[in-house]
Amino acid sequence: MKHHVGQTRNGITVYVDLISSRAAKHIAQQPQLLTLAKEMLGHITAKGAELNIEHDMGRVVGYSFIVATADTDTIFYACLLKDTVYTRFVKNGKPLSTPFVTVTLIQNGDMYELTDIRIGRITPPRPGSANESTDSREYWQHHAFILDNQTLQLRTVTKTCPY
């Protein structure tokens, strides 16, 4: 189901698939993301086939659940439900308030599809993912998702780094 989100500063229409996209999962959990996306789009000029954009909204808009970790933190790794890539988690972390919203836009003809959106700063892809970058491993050695209400594949939980 295509849902019109808004237009970029340079007049390009942006839509989101509210059923099967990664963005759909995040929007279902935080419906205010659609309003934030619309506001954000009016401030950006979209050029290129795939864009990862971090935007400072100028006010606190929510909490980031990706935090820097220390050697004293309890860290573990697991695959989320319906995922094959391991995610690094920290127990007992505290979410940080943030003014940033991050989106991924993919050009589709003369429009853009919003494929992902979340509150927080831009991060490199997780190690082991198809789009892993050269800085993925370094970043994720020192950052982790706060364990919250994610559904994990219990058989994949490990304290040993899988990458």
Side-chain angles (χ1 to χ4, degrees):
M1 174 180 158
K2 288 184 181 180
H3 175 79
H4 180 266
V5 178
Q7 286 192 322
T8 63
R9 183 182 202 171
N10 54 333
I12 300 172
T13 298
V14 177
Y15 70 91
V16 63
D17 177 345
L18 287 177
I19 303 297
S20 58
S21 70
R22 236 179 139 202
K25 286 188 234 176
H26 296 147
I27 292 167
Q29 294 171 340
Q30 299 175 303
Q32 77 275 19
L33 287 173
L34 278 176
T35 304
L36 292 171
K38 182 176 183 175
E39 180 183 339
M40 173 190 179
L41 289 171
H43 295 280
I44 63 168
T45 301
K47 292 181 183 173
E50 183 173 345
L51 307 169
N52 289 307
I53 302 167
E54 171 187 293
H55 183 73
D56 185 340
M57 301 297 287
R59 65 188 185 283
V60 172
V61 294
Y63 292 94
S64 175
F65 286 83
I66 297 174
V67 295
T69 57
D71 292 337
T72 56
D73 289 326
T74 303
I75 302 294
F76 72 95
Y77 304 83
C79 291
L80 295 166
L81 188 65
K82 298 181 182 179
D83 197 357
T84 59
V85 177
Y86 277 83
T87 299
R88 188 170 192 255
F89 289 97
V90 61
K91 289 185 178 179
N92 304 322
K94 295 202 184 227
L96 304 172
S97 59
T98 182
F100 292 97
V101 174
T102 298
V103 298
T104 301
L105 302 175
I106 296 180
Q107 192 170 24
N108 189 354
D110 59 348
M111 297 188 286
Y112 278 96
E113 179 178 0
L114 188 150
T115 58
D116 199 7
I117 184 169
R118 65 179 177 77
I119 292 174
R121 303 208 67 159
I122 202 164
T123 61
R126 293 171 296 154
S129 65
N131 53 353
E132 177 180 352
S133 64
T134 55
D135 56 346
S136 291
R137 291 178 191 259
E138 175 64 27
Y139 180 86
W140 289 108
Q141 284 178 341
H142 304 287
H143 293 81
F145 282 87
I146 296 172
L147 180 62
D148 190 33
N149 61 355
Q150 301 95 331
T151 305
L152 306 178
Q153 297 178 39
L154 295 180
R155 62 178 172 72
T156 67
V157 176
T158 180
K159 287 190 175 195
T160 306
C161 180
Y163 39 82

